[in-house]
Amino acid sequence: MEKQQQRHGTEEIPTRDQKFSVLNCIDLSSSDIQQSVSLLKQACLDCGFFYVVNHGISQEFMDQVFFESKKFFQLPLDEKMNLLRNEKHRGYTPVLDELLDPDNQLHGDYKEGYYIGVEVPEDDPQAEKPFYGQNVWPADYLLPGWRQTMERFHKEALEVARAVARIIALALNLEADFFDRPEMLGQPITVLRLLHYGGQISDPSKGIFGAGAHSDYGLITLLATDDVVALQICKDKNAQPQVWEYVAPIRGAFVVNLGDMLERWSNCIFRSTLHRVVGNGRERYSIAYFVEPSHDCLVECLPTCKSEENPPKFPPIKCGTYLSQRYKDTHADLNVYSKPQT
């Protein structure tokens, strides 16, 4: 069948049946590490997206996490607003709270979310840092066992991320444990975000999106999705017109993408990739797990990624500084949710 194309401005928008992206699949249970490194490296050079399967988190538990996520988003809005995100980016984010692509979006994203970060006791000196501290949890009488499920997933997803990071290190000609060091994934900033898209129909020509085009901020993101097709990637973010391809959901797999920090580390050898969510009228749930190094980690060009012919393209920057600015740029000011004084 001949490809149908819809053009809006400088952008080429594929229809659902037009184009799906073909992504490499990394099997974390494979004993052939060289094949895994080769597949991952090719994916990172080509598009910065790949699947991870046999990662050690059971399908039964993944189903439970999705079930608990749905239960939260089905709560009345006033109950969810009682758990509104705080300055540490913990808690509920309402529909339209986040604006990821201000140049092309009419409104914020048509999604709601829930942030869960690294739990640190209030009296711990680490709790003063922007992305550490205490989480915001729904009352146990509202959602019994909800917190325990999310804390377990947080812990298990970190082990998957560390396994992926070891293969990335080898793909960059580093020691396998390069990212395991305390200043990196030994004491990471990891953020679990539950996401719900309510079924609005996106219209790129009018700037209406489930999630606007963006690249993620950190090292890598693990994404689990339901079976609703809505995620699109643009393999070449500098291309004009931009060409968007759908990513097919695979049950039990994580879709993994590279973040901007890894692009900085690798001196653009590995690139972060633009992606967005284009809703088709179907309700959709996904679970994102954002993996970043520690607050004080200095992100600077890796020794294996620079030469006289290819000097560092970015100045060094601390992870915490970089992330704080990126979150500030995309989320609404919390003051917009303040209740008027009576």
Side-chain angles (χ1 to χ4, degrees):
M1 190 198 299
E2 209 171 291
K3 288 183 178 178
Q4 295 179 349
Q5 294 179 352
Q6 300 170 345
R7 290 184 181 275
H8 300 291
T10 62
E11 195 177 80
E12 181 179 297
I13 308 296
T15 55
R16 167 79 55 80
D17 59 353
Q18 183 188 357
K19 193 166 188 180
F20 278 83
S21 191
V22 178
L23 301 180
N24 283 355
C25 190
I26 314 300
D27 183 345
L28 289 188
S29 69
S30 171
S31 59
D32 189 345
I33 189 65
Q34 288 310 313
Q35 184 191 36
S36 297
V37 171
S38 177
L39 286 170
L40 181 143
K41 185 172 186 176
Q42 194 59 52
C44 293
L45 293 170
D46 287 349
C47 66
F49 265 75
F50 50 91
Y51 297 109
V52 164
V53 296
N54 295 325
H55 43 65
I57 300 179
S58 73
Q59 187 60 54
E60 181 184 23
F61 183 53
M62 290 290 288
D63 291 343
Q64 182 186 346
V65 178
F66 272 97
F67 178 73
E68 296 291 346
S69 174
K70 288 178 185 178
K71 285 203 320 195
F72 171 78
F73 289 116
Q74 287 167 355
L75 290 174
L77 181 60
D78 59 345
E79 292 281 10
K80 291 184 285 190
M81 289 301 289
N82 286 337
L83 300 163
L84 183 69
R85 67 176 172 87
N86 56 28
E87 69 285 346
K88 292 288 190 85
H89 298 286
R90 309 297 176 89
Y92 176 63
T93 55
V95 175
L96 304 182
D97 178 84
E98 194 171 13
L99 182 64
L100 289 167
D101 186 12
D103 293 338
N104 294 298
Q105 279 183 266
L106 180 65
H107 306 294
D109 293 351
Y110 281 90
K111 69 175 191 292
E112 54 182 342
Y114 199 89
Y115 281 118
I116 302 167
V118 176
E119 185 85 28
V120 175
E122 200 171 5
D123 57 355
D124 190 310
Q126 293 277 69
E128 297 300 313
K129 295 179 177 177
F131 296 94
Y132 285 171
Q134 292 190 302
N135 283 307
V136 174
W137 298 107
D140 202 48
Y141 70 84
L142 274 180
L143 298 172
W146 197 87
R147 172 177 179 171
Q148 289 76 13
T149 298
M150 297 307 161
E151 287 182 327
R152 177 184 162 191
F153 182 81
H154 214 294
K155 189 176 296 185
E156 292 192 16
L158 178 57
E159 292 312 305
V160 178
R162 284 175 171 150
V164 173
R166 290 180 194 116
I167 303 174
I168 290 173
L170 292 171
L172 288 168
N173 298 316
L174 301 165
E175 295 295 324
D177 62 355
F178 178 83
F179 292 109
D180 286 334
R181 291 184 290 174
E183 69 273 22
M184 293 192 183
L185 298 187
Q187 294 180 316
I189 299 170
T190 47
V191 179
L192 168 60
R193 194 176 189 196
L194 310 174
L195 293 164
H196 172 233
Y197 300 83
Q200 293 82 3
I201 297 175
S202 297
D203 187 341
S205 69
K206 295 180 180 176
I208 297 172
F209 296 93
H214 65 287
S215 54
D216 289 346
Y217 312 149
L219 179 63
I220 57 172
T221 303
L222 310 180
L223 180 72
T225 72
D226 61 15
D227 62 356
V228 177
V229 176
L231 175 64
Q232 293 182 332
I233 65 173
C234 176
K235 289 183 176 179
D236 183 356
K237 55 189 170 187
N238 298 316
Q240 290 295 331
Q242 291 179 337
V243 178
W244 293 90
E245 301 176 358
Y246 284 97
V247 173
I250 297 179
R251 180 169 165 80
F254 282 113
V255 179
V256 181
N257 65 278
L258 311 185
D260 296 335
M261 264 188 236
L262 188 54
E263 179 171 295
R264 293 175 76 104
W265 252 320
S266 69
N267 211 20
C268 295
I269 293 172
F270 289 176
R271 291 181 177 267
S272 58
T273 306
L274 280 180
H275 53 287
R276 67 188 188 184
V277 174
V278 177
N280 64 354
R282 291 184 63 192
E283 193 175 20
R284 177 175 180 264
Y285 292 88
S286 64
I287 299 166
Y289 188 74
F290 302 102
V291 183
E292 346 282 11
S294 74
H295 286 82
D296 297 323
C297 180
L298 193 65
V299 180
E300 57 184 337
C301 184
L302 296 167
T304 57
C305 297
K306 60 184 176 183
S307 64
E308 285 187 19
E309 298 76 30
N310 186 28
K313 295 177 174 64
F314 303 97
I317 189 169
K318 279 194 175 181
C319 174
T321 304
Y322 181 76
L323 283 181
S324 294
Q325 187 58 53
R326 293 295 298 272
Y327 273 78
K328 183 180 177 183
D329 289 344
T330 56
H331 282 289
D333 190 305
L334 283 170
N335 290 325
V336 304
Y337 300 113
S338 298
K339 294 179 181 176
Q341 300 296 314
T342 56

